Amino acid sequence: QVQLVESGGGLVQAGGSLRLSCAASGGIFSISVMSWYRQAPGKQRELVASVTRGGSTNYADSVKGRFTISRDNANDTIYLRMNTLKPEDTAVYYCVSTSWGQGTQVTVSS
């Protein structure tokens, strides 16, 4: 089973940027879809973005135009570039394939 480790979260002011990384052990090349989910306090987990093995992407309406997901199959890593961050983006962000990572906290101050 692929193990996933997220990094890159932190505290940022509204309008700022962060890049999350997800390092996978066991290889991601054969995994058809890799995703980022998030969970804000008191809310359900929601899909933020996903990317297929071929590079096709899908985004939640709330992040379209601001977030970019990408995958580097050669280095078994996926990324989430987050621009123009808003306080409502505050959440724990999870990398997901056939398993879930432990999550990384993103906090956006107003």
Side-chain angles (χ1 to χ4, degrees), residues 3 16 18 34 41 89 101 109:
Q3 292 186 325
L18 285 173
M34 299 287 297
D89 294 318
S109 63

Side-chain angles (χ1 to χ4, degrees), residues 39-51:
Q39 185 168 23
K43 295 187 177 181
Q44 292 186 331
R45 286 180 181 179
E46 63 173 349
L47 176 65
V48 176
S50 60
V51 59

Side-chain angles (χ1 to χ4, degrees), residues 3-4 22-29 34 71-78:
Q3 292 186 325
L4 306 170
C22 173
S25 64
I28 66 171
F29 181 78
M34 299 287 297
R71 66 191 283 172
D72 182 347
N73 291 329
N75 290 301
D76 295 330
T77 304
I78 68 166

Side-chain angles (χ1 to χ4, degrees), residues 50-68:
S50 60
V51 59
T52 69
R53 185 168 54 225
S56 297
T57 57
N58 182 58
Y59 296 94
D61 288 342
S62 59
V63 307
K64 281 181 181 176
R66 300 188 298 121
F67 290 12
T68 303

